[in-house]
Amino acid sequence: MRSKQKKPIYMLFISLVCISTILSGCSTGKTNSPEPNTANEASPPNETQPSKNPNNGNTETNSEKLPEGVKVKKVIKDTKINNGYHKKTELLTDGGKLKTIRDSNNNIIEQYIEYEGIIMKVNGNKVEVQVKHGENRTLNIPDEIVIEDEDGVGLKQGIEIEWEVNMDGSIQSVELED
């Protein structure tokens, strides 16, 4: 008779242990944020790398180097590439895409902003562009920048233009497409 009374208590105890284990496993490392943080899930944490901004939920972005008033809107792509390197593309509020490549120690190897748009007006090397996902912007293309123009369309109204800017705001490359 005693073994029949112990069996339901034993089963209840086992069930409670299983449920508490499952619930505690679900709660570790997760937060109740409105947007999933895919940046932290894609790469293991690196305890030797200090946080850039402890108050910002996105510690992977070097946001203090973004143009004034520009913020990261969302992560577009976050992937691991060869030999532990990591490539991240983030959409910015001004329509640009911040591209960051980090090594296996989480150090920034390369970081730049890429823009796309349509040329609205041209005055020499001064070009007014309607930025894709952004507002109009005036570019002053330095003379030392070679404009990639495979089709020979030139700087003209209505032509698609792509350009890259380093984190200091200097244009690094320009490409035209018809």
Side-chain angles (χ1 to χ4, degrees):
M1 186 85 154
R2 279 189 139 163
S3 65
K4 287 184 180 182
Q5 289 176 348
K6 287 184 181 180
K7 192 172 186 177
I9 293 173
Y10 179 72
M11 293 302 288
L12 178 63
F13 176 75
I14 296 290
S15 298
L16 287 174
V17 169
C18 290
I19 290 172
S20 65
T21 303
I22 290 171
L23 290 177
S24 68
C26 290
S27 65
T28 58
K30 299 288 183 181
T31 60
N32 290 334
S33 61
E35 296 180 7
N37 189 352
T38 58
N40 291 336
E41 293 174 10
S43 64
N46 186 348
E47 283 111 21
T48 61
Q49 180 71 16
S51 174
K52 300 283 185 224
N53 184 355
N55 297 326
N56 185 354
N58 190 357
T59 59
E60 294 282 326
T61 300
N62 204 358
S63 60
E64 64 270 9
K65 289 195 170 193
L66 292 176
E68 188 175 326
V70 176
K71 295 180 182 177
V72 173
K73 200 176 206 178
K74 69 177 182 176
V75 175
I76 297 172
K77 193 173 186 179
D78 194 0
T79 58
K80 288 183 182 180
I81 51 181
N82 297 336
N83 299 326
Y85 282 70
H86 197 98
K87 183 175 183 181
K88 185 175 186 178
T89 303
E90 299 168 289
L91 181 62
L92 303 177
T93 55
D94 70 348
K97 294 177 186 174
L98 176 64
K99 302 211 174 186
T100 306
I101 298 176
R102 294 178 184 267
D103 65 12
S104 59
N105 293 323
N106 208 26
N107 297 316
I108 295 174
I109 300 302
E110 185 176 9
Q111 189 171 44
Y112 59 93
I113 302 173
E114 182 180 275
Y115 292 94
E116 297 177 31
I118 303 290
I119 296 175
M120 305 304 286
K121 197 186 300 184
V122 178
N123 184 5
N125 283 357
K126 190 174 183 179
V127 182
E128 187 177 318
V129 178
Q130 170 60 53
V131 178
K132 185 177 180 180
H133 305 292
E135 298 177 357
N136 283 6
R137 168 176 264 173
T138 301
L139 305 177
N140 289 312
I141 302 172
D143 292 332
E144 64 270 8
I145 297 295
V146 176
I147 299 172
E148 293 179 42
D149 187 5
E150 290 180 11
D151 300 326
V153 294
L155 292 172
K156 296 179 186 171
Q157 184 177 355
I159 300 297
E160 290 182 27
I161 185 171
E162 293 180 10
W163 70 100
E164 292 178 4
V165 178
N166 67 15
M167 297 313 290
D168 295 327
S170 300
I171 295 175
Q172 299 299 299
S173 68
V174 176
E175 182 178 343
L176 301 176
E177 299 175 10
D178 62 358

